[in-house]
Amino acid sequence: MEKKDFMMRAIKLSIESVKNGGGPFGAVIVKDGMIIAEASNSVTIDHDPTAHAEVNAIRKATSRLHTFDLSGCEIYTSCEPCPMCLGAIYWAHIDKIYYANDRKDAAEIGFDDDFIYEEFSVPVSQRKKPMEPFMRDEAIKAFRLWSEKSDKVEY
């Protein structure tokens, strides 16, 4: 299969998703020229705001490969990843992202993620969602335990 085939599969998943009551997004994860996972958006179907196509595909890929590290993989998405999905792609160590529609195309149909991208550059005290430090002294204990743990699996 070629790049075009992988992207066509992601696009087909996005179209099928709309027909089945999901959002218009699809994603395919490829390793060594083979699809190892594919998914569509199921936010409304699963009542889960994190059930974006890319996140669903990452969950399937990591489950199939029995690892949290998807180095050596590429992801093909029907749309430029939102901030949450982009973060998940980075945490999964996926090597490359291919996308079809961009975030402007998504904004035109009501999926405008730019406000989230913009929030990242705003100081915490000025963000639209109030954020307040609370009980750091108690919480830091877990970080200390992690730091001192000799047999931890880093990720």
Side-chain angles (χ1 to χ4, degrees), residues 24-25 79-80 82 101-115 117-118:
F25 306 98
C79 187
E80 180 179 357
C82 75
N101 296 316
D102 65 23
R103 70 172 99 163
K104 291 177 184 173
D105 297 321
E108 287 178 11
I109 62 164
F111 294 94
D112 191 352
D113 299 327
D114 274 340
F115 77 97
Y117 281 104
E118 291 169 9

Side-chain angles (χ1 to χ4, degrees), residues 34-104:
M34 296 185 62
I35 295 174
I36 58 164
E38 60 180 41
S40 59
N41 178 291
S42 60
V43 169
T44 56
I45 295 166
D46 295 338
H47 309 288
D48 178 353
T50 69
H52 291 201
E54 298 91 336
V55 171
N56 287 342
I58 288 169
R59 289 174 178 156
K60 288 180 180 181
T62 56
S63 178
R64 181 174 181 191
L65 297 177
H66 306 287
T67 181
F68 54 82
D69 186 343
L70 297 179
S71 295
C73 295
E74 299 174 334
I75 189 165
Y76 293 77
T77 71
S78 64
C79 187
E80 180 179 357
C82 75
M84 176 185 69
C85 292
L86 187 59
I89 290 166
Y90 272 87
W91 281 116
H93 305 287
I94 293 174
D95 293 351
K96 189 165 186 179
I97 303 164
Y98 295 94
Y99 65 91
N101 296 316
D102 65 23
R103 70 172 99 163
K104 291 177 184 173

